Amino acid sequence: MTSRLPVSSRLPDLEALELLVAVAETGSLGQAAGRLGISQPSASARMRTLERRLGVRLLDRSTSGSRLTAAGSVVTDWARAVLVQANALVEGVAALRSRQEDRLRVSASLTVAEHLVPGWLVALREAAPGVHVELNVTNSTHVIERVRADEADLGFIEGRGAPRDLHSRAVGRDRLVVVVAPGHPWTRRRRPLRPVELAATPLLLREAGSGTRETFEAALAPYGGPAEPALELGATAPLRAAAVAGSAPAVLSALVVADEIAAGRLVEVPSELRLERVLRAVWPRGRELPEPALHLLRVARS
Amino acid sequence: MTSRLPVSSRLPDLEALELLVAVAETGSLGQAAGRLGISQPSASARMRTLERRLGVRLLDRSTSGSRLTAAGSVVTDWARAVLVQANALVEGVAALRSRQEDRLRVSASLTVAEHLVPGWLVALREAAPGVHVELNVTNSTHVIERVRADEADLGFIEGRGAPRDLHSRAVGRDRLVVVVAPGHPWTRRRRPLRPVELAATPLLLREAGSGTRETFEAALAPYGGPAEPALELGATAPLRAAAVAGSAPAVLSALVVADEIAAGRLVEVPSELRLERVLRAVWPRGRELPEPALHLLRVARS
DNA sequence: GGAGGTCATAGGCGAACTCTATGACCTGCC
DNA sequence: GGCAGGTCATAGAGTTCGCCTATGACCTCC
């Protein structure tokens, strides 16, 4: 979806971008090379191929150092944005893989794991490099079970009041939106969807037990609950894909469909139903939260 | 800064991530390979090395296709986030390089160009693939000059009312924040900075003529204007670097320092001064905005 | 004028990737 | 039951690409 047409041929490689940022910050190809652990000629060649591939001069090389051109400066900032995401991915993967001692076991709902956890991990690495996070991803119901069963030190859930037997604290909020493919009749509506309309329409929904689903059901309960779903899936990506393909209207987190909406592949349908939900951290009562967990919680709340 | 410790060794390559997304969407290695224009064995090998490099199994391969594992599903969404940024970079670079016929000449201030324009370009490519954007990046003052001189069809500026002789429309807002390095005395303050304190302190500032600088000066004018800057630079990146290094407090766009604040490399100091500013599109009066420009404006406002 | 910094070039080596060709396996249809 | 069409994996060959070391040219500052 993200890559309808392969950008392949002109896709820069991440290490080149990392090098560019290093050059920008050190002011010298040689020093940047040192920082990445490669030789100066390699760095020189790499920057040259990057420039050739992008078709833009990025550096003013002089015998007393290298400075960014105006274009280079802008590109460097874009490169930073790419690297932020790439680092988040790497941290996230490390957490998925981790089977460490000295570990912090985190269980997070899908939405939280996909959109917030990676950023937290990057920040946590800066703030407390010693902490190794072991990340488990499921739905909100299961997150709570794991925290209760002491299979996780800290959980992150969506869309429900925290259970009484657990501590909890809000760490953010999210909004559910109704989206349809561009051609759908709902895109031509003049007035917001009424809840009864929504309740009567077969929709694309996440599976029962997911935070997204529960929030939605709770909101529609006064209007006769949602109709039988048109399709029910355990992950957001295929759901989103089905919505883009025009199968039916979908109800998804705003976080999840932000890109698609921006790109015009999905259209948000205004609705009278207020579908905000709070994202919360949860942990066991009666016992102090371990030190690493406190760190993560602090990061998540900021 | 973004890459204090080189992630190099385990940094995946973007084409592998693109392949992962393609596999997720097609459900088959072979089809995914076709989409990227490589052979099926190459795709197979690439996915294998990606899995090996990340240390996580991403695919359940079967003789009837390949499905994502639970971990793979999450990683794929993270990969999408990386690719969104990478695409934005590629589009932005294309715009910087462009010397096309059938072009739309855009001039944007640094903050807007760095943080908003790339996303708009990606969306624009989906909505109106025929439009070729030629991007010029300067400060707000110069943007206005270029629009007046008909060197740009559309301009984007920050932090000032639009000049009378141009049309304008708000496309977003930004906030200026005061940031210091973690050790700075201001991090231990109990009460927000008063404007007179800020006005009396030498700061790290953008150059005169930049939107950031003008907003700040206007806000401090009633209090005797800002003191002589500690350092004055024409780009945000080195300014940010200087702030991280602890040279002096800096005043920068919240967009620009969001990552550093999240990672604990900079600390925001609460201030009584309200430093919001509006980001606006501007274009010449008396003449219809050309069709491609309307497209971009529509994208930018959504 | 030397010392220490910058970057570029040349040559050789090695690894990594690609492709084509093939085989094994499953599913579904006839 | 067996064939057709899809899946993925393996093998081997060729080539490209990128790396490193060694060197040279140049600038700046002392």
Side-chain angles (χ1 to χ4, degrees):
Chain A
M1 213 69 41
T2 305
S3 47
R4 179 73 46 92
L5 39 153
V7 202
S8 337
S9 55
R10 34 192 54 187
L11 211 51
D13 87 278
L14 289 176
E15 302 184 11
L17 298 184
E18 208 172 14
L19 179 62
L20 173 62
V21 171
V23 172
E25 284 169 11
T26 60
S28 142
L29 273 171
Q31 287 180 42
R35 179 142 128 194
L36 300 206
I38 62 178
S39 72
Q40 171 266 321
S42 296
S44 180
R46 250 168 125 115
M47 283 304 304
R48 203 166 287 286
T49 57
L50 179 64
E51 285 179 317
R52 189 159 36 79
R53 185 159 350 187
L54 297 182
V56 173
R57 273 223 349 206
L58 302 171
L59 295 181
D60 274 331
R61 302 140 209 264
S62 86
T63 149
S64 60
S66 294
R67 291 189 55 76
L68 295 175
T69 62
S73 173
V74 180
V75 173
T76 301
D77 247 69
W78 296 338
R80 280 198 180 87
V82 177
L83 290 171
V84 163
Q85 294 298 330
N87 274 309
L89 183 144
V90 169
E91 291 294 333
V93 166
L96 283 177
R97 181 189 46 199
S98 168
R99 292 289 175 269
Q100 307 271 353
E101 289 314 304
D102 181 25
R103 71 201 201 277
L104 167 62
R105 298 164 307 159
V106 172
S107 186
S109 73
L110 209 46
T111 306
V112 177
E114 283 178 354
H115 297 279
L116 298 175
V117 169
W120 296 343
L121 294 177
V122 172
L124 184 67
R125 152 131 325 191
E126 296 275 340
V131 179
H132 295 281
V133 175
E134 179 178 325
L135 175 65
N136 165 269
V137 183
T138 34
N139 64 38
S140 295
T141 304
H142 198 201
V143 167
I144 290 170
E145 285 170 13
R146 289 182 70 93
V147 172
R148 281 211 188 97
D150 193 34
E151 290 165 18
D153 303 309
L154 195 58
F156 292 96
I157 62 174
E158 328 152 15
R160 45 161 77 201
R164 290 298 160 85
D165 58 329
L166 298 179
H167 274 293
S168 88
R169 168 156 268 160
V171 295
R173 50 187 65 247
D174 186 24
R175 197 169 56 93
L176 293 187
V177 295
V178 180
V179 290
V180 296
H184 195 279
W186 281 4
T187 60
R188 293 186 292 276
R189 288 178 61 95
R190 309 216 152 190
R191 41 170 61 200
L193 280 171
R194 280 170 302 140
V196 286
E197 296 180 89
L198 215 44
T201 308
L203 301 168
L204 305 174
L205 294 176
R206 283 285 305 283
E207 89 285 5
S210 73
T212 306
R213 176 71 170 269
E214 293 198 348
T215 304
F216 186 59
E217 287 182 343
L220 275 194
Y223 307 95
E228 193 63 24
L231 185 63
E232 189 172 290
L233 288 168
T236 55
L239 212 53
R240 190 171 44 193
V244 170
S247 315
V251 176
L252 282 167
S253 153
L255 288 170
V256 166
V257 292
D259 294 334
E260 268 68 26
I261 290 176
R265 288 191 291 267
L266 285 175
V267 179
E268 177 179 348
V269 183
S271 157
E272 290 177 1
L273 209 56
R274 190 166 180 75
L275 290 165
E276 276 231 333
R277 57 191 183 149
V278 177
L279 311 177
R280 328 183 148 270
V282 296
W283 63 96
R285 277 196 186 283
R287 157 160 51 112
E288 277 302 303
L289 205 51
E291 178 62 22
L294 279 173
H295 262 120
L296 181 57
L297 196 52
R298 202 171 306 136
V299 164
R301 292 191 59 209
S302 69
Chain B
M1 215 72 38
T2 305
S3 46
R4 179 74 47 91
L5 38 154
V7 202
S8 338
S9 56
R10 34 192 56 185
L11 210 53
D13 88 277
L14 289 176
E15 302 184 11
L17 298 184
E18 208 171 13
L19 179 61
L20 173 62
V21 171
V23 172
E25 285 170 11
T26 59
S28 142
L29 273 171
Q31 287 179 42
R35 181 142 127 192
L36 300 205
I38 61 177
S39 73
Q40 172 267 319
S42 295
S44 180
R46 252 168 124 114
M47 282 304 304
R48 203 167 286 289
T49 56
L50 179 64
E51 284 178 318
R52 189 158 37 79
R53 181 152 2 180
L54 296 182
V56 173
R57 274 224 349 210
L58 302 171
L59 294 182
D60 273 332
R61 302 139 209 267
S62 87
T63 149
S64 61
S66 295
R67 292 187 53 74
L68 296 176
T69 61
S73 172
V74 179
V75 174
T76 302
D77 246 67
W78 295 338
R80 280 199 180 88
V82 177
L83 290 171
V84 164
Q85 293 299 330
N87 274 308
L89 183 144
V90 169
E91 291 294 333
V93 166
L96 283 177
R97 185 189 44 201
S98 167
R99 292 290 174 271
Q100 306 270 354
E101 289 315 302
D102 181 25
R103 72 201 202 277
L104 167 62
R105 298 164 307 160
V106 172
S107 187
S109 72
L110 210 44
T111 306
V112 178
E114 284 178 353
H115 298 278
L116 299 174
V117 169
W120 297 343
L121 293 177
V122 172
L124 184 67
R125 153 132 325 191
E126 297 275 340
V131 179
H132 295 281
V133 174
E134 178 178 325
L135 175 65
N136 165 268
V137 183
T138 34
N139 63 41
S140 295
T141 304
H142 198 201
V143 168
I144 290 169
E145 285 169 15
R146 289 182 70 93
V147 172
R148 281 210 189 99
D150 193 33
E151 290 164 19
D153 302 311
L154 196 57
F156 292 96
I157 62 175
E158 329 151 15
R160 44 160 78 201
R164 289 298 160 85
D165 57 330
L166 299 179
H167 274 292
S168 89
R169 167 155 270 159
V171 294
R173 49 189 65 249
D174 186 24
R175 195 168 57 92
L176 293 188
V177 295
V178 181
V179 290
V180 295
H184 195 278
W186 282 3
T187 60
R188 293 185 292 279
R189 289 177 62 97
R190 308 215 153 190
R191 42 170 60 202
L193 280 171
R194 281 170 302 136
V196 286
E197 295 179 272
L198 214 45
T201 308
L203 301 168
L204 306 173
L205 294 176
R206 284 284 305 283
E207 89 286 6
S210 73
T212 307
R213 175 70 169 269
E214 293 199 348
T215 303
F216 186 60
E217 287 182 343
L220 276 193
Y223 307 95
E228 193 63 24
L231 185 63
E232 189 173 289
L233 289 168
T236 54
L239 213 52
R240 189 172 44 194
V244 170
S247 313
V251 176
L252 282 168
S253 154
L255 288 170
V256 166
V257 292
D259 295 333
E260 268 68 25
I261 290 175
R265 288 191 292 266
L266 285 175
V267 179
E268 177 178 349
V269 182
S271 158
E272 290 177 359
L273 210 57
R274 190 165 181 75
L275 289 165
E276 276 232 331
R277 58 191 183 147
V278 177
L279 311 176
R280 327 181 150 271
V282 296
W283 64 96
R285 277 195 186 283
R287 157 159 50 111
E288 277 302 304
L289 205 51
E291 178 60 23
L294 279 173
H295 261 121
L296 180 57
L297 196 52
R298 202 172 305 136
V299 164
R301 293 190 57 207
S302 70

